[in-house]
Structure formats: structure tokens, C-alpha cells
Amino acid sequence: QVQLQESGPGLVKPSETLSLTCNVSGVSVTNDTYYWSWIRQPPGRGLEWIGYIYYTETTGSNPSLKSRVTISLDTSKNHFSLKLTSVTAADTAVYYCARFPAGSRWFFDLWGRGTSVTVSS
Amino acid sequence: QSALTQPASVSGSPGQSITISCTGTSGDIGTFKLVSWYQFHPGAGPKLIIYEVNKRPSGVSDRFSASKSGNTASLTISGLQAEDEADYFCCSYAGFATVIFGGGTKVTVL
């Protein structure tokens, strides 16, 4: 059974870097069938796509976040990670990891349960 | 990129049908047949219920159907059941390897 599970600190101070990991089980992150992605939902608001990574380490991200986002793969641990720099209160959200099929299909067929991150001093 | 526009809430009685709209632009929904819909139940991981405008993943009830016309996509839930009470989000490919989501719609079963 394929599962995704987010992990990371629930509280980050303003101006610091938010770091989250998505642990993947049941499929290898090097599987060329899938891309791996991060999505977030600020409190009371809609979803915001953050970015993706492919096993080739090709990445893409939301233009509004691009300068602050780094997504990376760790094949030895079968997980992928998100780093978001210079966080502010506006980055407070539930963060989800998800996968989408390769081949320009652009839908997220599997999600983690999400992890809540609060930016506050 | 602005978020896709969804109604904040939609409600219906058990057995009824409801429709959730999702309005975008010619740069996303209007151009690409890559609209998807997700169901969010509290405490559970989000679930894909529609992809590529109107396709249902295996295991998703056929009470869920969807379509698009112009810049607007729609999700219809037929034979509304208590278990359908959840938040629903639409999503569209927006070109240049990006996607955009809607603001979400809370479905209440009366």
C-alpha cells in the first residue's frame, strides 16, 4: 500500500527556514511514473500549489514562491523534502505532500494527511 | 495566478443533486482538459475524485460526475449522502508546468 506522510516542526520563527519531509512508502521516489509535490492550505483559505520534483531532480515551483522554495529528493531514505526560506505569518498553513503521474497529466492521485505549520515568534 | 473561483458553500438534502462550479480563465480551465477535483474530509488525507475533467478513479462512486464548459468546470454529486459532507477543491493545469487550485467549497448535507 502506497502512503505519504509529512513530518517536520510545527512551529517556525519568522525569517527562519521551514523544513518538511515527506516519507514515501510502497513505491520508490525514483519511480519514473510519478512526480512528487508539495501543496499547502492556509487557515480558512484555499489550496496553494508549492512545487514538484521528479526522480531526475527536475523541479518546478509556483512563481509566487519560487525564490524561497527548494524541493529535494533523498533516494536513500525514500523521501522528498521542502525548504521554504524567510517565512512570515503568511506561510502558516497545513502542508501536504502529494504525487502526480508523469506524462503531463497534472492531477494528484495520492496525498499525505498533512502537517500543520505555524509561523510565530 | 489567481485562485479558481468556487462558491464557499453548497448544501442539499439527502438524495438530492448538487453542483459545484469552478471558474477560471482562458489560461487554465478554458484551454486545458486537465481539471481535477478533490474531497477533503476532516482528519483524512485529501482524495482525488475526478481527473482530466470527467474521469473517475477506480473506487470513486459514480454519484460523482463532472464537466467543463468554457472557463468553468462543474462537479455534480447525485443522490447526496451524509458521507458526502466535506470540502471540495477544484484544480487546473495553468500552463508552464504550474497548477492552480480553487478556494474550496463546503458541502453540507441538511
Side-chain angles (χ1 to χ4, degrees):
Chain A
Q1 183 182 2
V2 181
Q3 290 186 318
L4 308 180
Q5 184 167 1
E6 306 86 352
S7 62
L11 181 64
V12 182
K13 290 183 168 54
S15 80
E16 295 191 344
T17 296
L18 180 160
S19 296
L20 297 175
T21 294
C22 181
N23 295 288
V24 180
S25 58
V27 65
S28 172
V29 294
T30 61
N31 187 315
D32 64 359
T33 306
Y34 300 108
Y35 285 74
W36 307 98
S37 194
W38 288 96
I39 296 156
R40 70 181 184 179
Q41 184 179 18
R45 298 182 62 185
L47 296 171
E48 181 178 34
W49 174 71
I50 298 171
Y52 69 81
I53 189 165
Y54 193 45
Y55 83 100
T56 55
E57 300 197 55
T58 298
T59 59
S61 58
N62 189 321
S64 68
L65 299 170
K66 188 178 180 67
S67 63
R68 299 194 292 130
V69 167
T70 301
I71 299 175
S72 59
L73 270 180
D74 186 330
T75 57
S76 66
K77 296 179 180 176
N78 208 46
H79 72 212
F80 61 105
S81 299
L82 168 70
K83 289 190 187 299
L84 183 65
T85 61
S86 305
V87 297
T88 70
D91 296 308
T92 293
V94 176
Y95 285 75
Y96 297 94
C97 58
R99 76 176 189 187
F100 64 95
S104 299
R105 302 193 72 188
W106 298 100
F107 59 87
F108 303 94
D109 69 339
L110 185 67
W111 298 61
R113 288 175 175 264
T115 189
S116 181
V117 177
T118 299
V119 178
S120 174
S121 55
Chain B
Q1 288 180 331
S2 297
L4 303 175
T5 301
Q6 298 181 235
S9 63
V10 173
S11 61
S13 299
Q16 286 186 330
S17 293
I18 61 169
T19 296
I20 302 168
S21 61
C22 171
T23 302
T25 69
S26 58
D28 39 68
I29 293 176
T31 295
F32 302 104
K33 295 181 180 178
L34 293 170
V35 179
S36 51
W37 290 88
Y38 303 88
Q39 180 189 59
F40 278 54
H41 274 127
K47 178 183 178 182
L48 172 71
I49 55 173
I50 295 287
Y51 66 100
E52 293 173 350
V53 178
N54 56 12
K55 298 176 183 177
R56 274 191 312 276
S58 174
V60 172
S61 171
D62 60 4
R63 296 185 299 102
F64 293 94
S65 62
S67 62
K68 80 158 184 150
S69 177
N71 296 338
T72 298
S74 299
L75 173 72
T76 297
I77 309 175
S78 305
L80 199 61
Q81 299 180 1
E83 68 202 46
D84 301 328
E85 189 160 288
D87 293 330
Y88 293 83
F89 290 85
C90 60
C91 175
S92 175
Y93 181 64
F96 304 106
T98 66
V99 293
I100 189 168
F101 284 93
T105 298
K106 181 176 181 60
V107 168
T108 301
V109 181
L110 301 172

